[in-house]
Amino acid sequence: MNASLRRLVLVVLVVLPLPAFAHKAWLLPSATVLSEGQWITVDGAVSNDLFYFNHVPLRLDNLVITRPDGSAGAYSGGHTGKYRSVFDVELDKPGTWRLAIINEGLFASWTENGESKRWRGSEADLAKALPVAATDVQVTRSHGRIETFVTAGAPTTAAMKLQGSGLELVHDTHPNDLYAGETTRYQFLLDGKPAADVEVEIVAGATRYRSRLGEKRVTTDAEGRFEVTWSEPGMYWLEASASSTLEGDALASQRRASHVVTLEVLPQ
Amino acid sequence: MSRSPLSLVALILPACAAQAAELSVSVEIPRLDVAEYHRPYVAAWVERPDRSVAAQLAVWYQQSESREGHGTKWLPDLRQWWRRGGRQLDVPVDGVTGATKAPGTHTLRFGAGSQAVAALAPGSYVLLVEASREVGGRELLQIPFEWPADEARTLDARGEHELGTVSLELVP
């Protein structure tokens, strides 16, 4: 391998996003708009196509269910198979529920004996993993959210409270109140601050039955705001990722955060 | 600013007229030749131009529990109705909710003393009738109207699959 090719490989390695972001991760609820006291079943998968199970399941380890009053909810029947995970939730309280997989961790790269190494793990494990001889150590804090919302009865907002960490989406219109032909305004926040110039990708489901992906791409403005006009009803996948430099962090120099939300747009 | 007695009369008259006015809504549920037929869920309501609900006129749904759960489970299938106030409504509601109806034409009358008529200040409105059928389709019809009517009139809309003719009769 000549020097320029080696440099290219190195650049590709550094620029490549985390493996989990190379495919599309999502939660897919059986319904988003329900009357009170119903059950939903939810699929979770990481796939190339929307919303089909064809790659790996989405692990349920970091699943956080938020009930309409903000308290933690539970699921039953959790199962992780070859291509997807499945779980059921009894919507035993009226209002809006949030289902979220929240993954937090560290991503590190370094050089050891002239070879570049990559590692993922928790903060506690980094010290053990990092060899004494490592040079060019780069540590990134990663934070990923994969969310969806369901509402029993009238929509509420307590479960949508912002947490101030990671890449979070402020919904100007309630996520279970989206209708074809209407325009919805959003704002992305990175660790609680407006996330400017973030590219947002929006893809409608049922990709198997059309030849063009037809994705929409919008970029957030200086305030982190953007808007989406829902041309057709359907289930949509909205994704964005953002990175920033960390100042005054003893461990990491970079921050990388991603956000995925599955949204259902109903016909008029 | 002082108002002349004449303009005061002009203000009061339409309000008086509205109090005497009546409306009735006829909903035709078509007879369908299908292997598995269930009576549709039907909602009828009146919206203001800003799409807020002025009056809930009727909601027909399965009132009992079945193997598939309580009839209220399927109320969100009346999608527009659910969005426009159904989800805020604590069913059953006296004089509004009722059992599903057989194919045929069903007429709802709202007299001068009714809550629905009392809720209508003079202005522009839209009557909406939505039907949704288990293992079937969904249809939404709209009839814009001015209230109160200047003369007796009947306005129609014709459905294509889940609803037959819906007519709105206005009595000034």
Side-chain angles (χ1 to χ4, degrees), chain A residues 267-268, chain B residues 27 40-45 58 60 75-84 128-132 138-142 162-163 166:
Chain A
Q268 289 284 352
Chain B
V27 177
Y41 278 29
V42 175
W45 72 103
W60 303 332
L75 281 175
D77 287 354
L78 291 166
R79 282 193 211 109
Q80 273 303 317
W81 173 77
W82 186 252
R83 178 189 197 189
R84 304 292 175 198
L128 293 102
V129 177
E130 185 174 25
S132 177
R138 167 190 169 263
E139 188 156 31
L140 177 70
L141 295 179
Q142 309 190 22
E162 300 303 331
L163 286 167
V166 168

Side-chain angles (χ1 to χ4, degrees), chain A residues 33-36 38 152-155 176-177 179 182 266-268, chain B residues 51 70 72-76 79-80 82-84 87-88 138 140:
Chain A
V33 173
L34 303 102
S35 57
E36 291 176 22
Q38 309 300 325
N176 295 138
D177 215 1
Y179 292 83
E182 298 184 1
L266 295 172
Q268 289 284 352
Chain B
R51 310 221 51 184
H70 195 273
T72 52
K73 175 175 179 178
W74 309 105
L75 281 175
R79 282 193 211 109
Q80 273 303 317
W82 186 252
R83 178 189 197 189
R84 304 292 175 198
R87 63 195 185 188
Q88 269 99 16
R138 167 190 169 263
L140 177 70

Side-chain angles (χ1 to χ4, degrees), chain A:
Chain A
M1 210 191 293
N2 65 36
S4 64
L5 186 59
R6 197 175 303 134
R7 193 176 310 126
L8 181 68
V9 169
L10 192 67
V11 167
V12 169
L13 280 178
V14 171
V15 170
L16 264 182
L18 302 180
F21 303 148
H23 295 86
K24 294 177 169 67
W26 40 269
L27 288 171
L28 184 70
S30 55
T32 60
V33 173
L34 303 102
S35 57
E36 291 176 22
Q38 309 300 325
W39 282 83
I40 54 161
T41 187
V42 185
D43 292 314
V46 181
S47 70
N48 289 320
D49 308 302
L50 296 169
F51 289 92
Y52 305 106
F53 326 108
N54 58 13
H55 182 48
V56 292
L58 188 64
R59 302 274 158 197
L60 301 181
D61 307 304
N62 300 320
L63 173 61
V64 179
I65 296 173
T66 311
R67 301 170 80 231
D69 60 1
S71 65
Y75 66 91
S76 63
H79 167 75
T80 296
K82 178 75 180 154
Y83 285 145
R84 65 167 163 175
S85 291
V86 182
F87 61 94
D88 298 336
V89 182
E90 183 181 13
L91 306 178
D92 56 10
K93 208 169 176 62
T96 299
W97 293 60
R98 174 165 62 189
L99 315 171
I101 305 261
I102 302 170
N103 293 315
E104 279 186 89
L106 295 181
F107 172 75
S109 64
W110 61 80
T111 307
E112 184 184 359
N113 303 326
E115 276 187 73
S116 57
K117 304 275 188 188
R118 302 167 75 218
W119 174 89
R120 290 183 75 180
S122 68
E123 197 165 332
D125 294 338
L126 179 64
K128 274 179 278 172
L130 195 63
V132 184
T135 55
D136 305 328
V137 180
Q138 288 277 344
V139 180
T140 302
R141 281 189 192 278
S142 71
H143 191 295
R145 286 175 177 280
I146 300 155
E147 301 190 342
T148 194
F149 298 90
V150 299
T151 295
T156 58
T157 56
M160 296 165 61
K161 193 164 172 271
L162 297 170
Q163 277 143 28
S165 66
L167 190 60
E168 291 184 285
L169 189 59
V170 181
H171 298 254
D172 277 11
T173 302
H174 194 283
N176 295 138
D177 215 1
L178 307 177
Y179 292 83
E182 298 184 1
T183 299
T184 313
R185 292 169 52 82
Y186 295 100
Q187 183 186 28
F188 263 123
L189 303 178
L190 180 58
D191 294 330
K193 296 186 199 72
D197 297 321
V198 170
E199 189 177 273
V200 184
E201 185 182 0
I202 302 121
V203 187
T207 56
R208 187 181 284 167
Y209 309 113
R210 60 181 190 264
S211 305
R212 284 168 187 265
L213 188 58
E215 77 274 28
K216 280 185 206 140
R217 286 178 195 277
V218 287
T219 305
T220 60
D221 68 12
E223 295 286 286
R225 294 184 189 282
F226 66 101
E227 55 181 49
V228 182
T229 298
W230 307 105
S231 49
E232 297 289 330
M235 202 61 96
Y236 284 82
W237 182 83
L238 185 154
E239 191 265 355
S241 54
S243 52
S244 66
T245 320
L246 286 177
E247 307 284 345
D249 186 303
L251 215 52
S253 58
Q254 291 284 318
R255 170 71 154 153
R256 188 179 293 159
S258 67
H259 188 105
V260 171
V261 62
T262 305
L263 298 167
E264 186 172 32
V265 176
L266 295 172
Q268 289 284 352

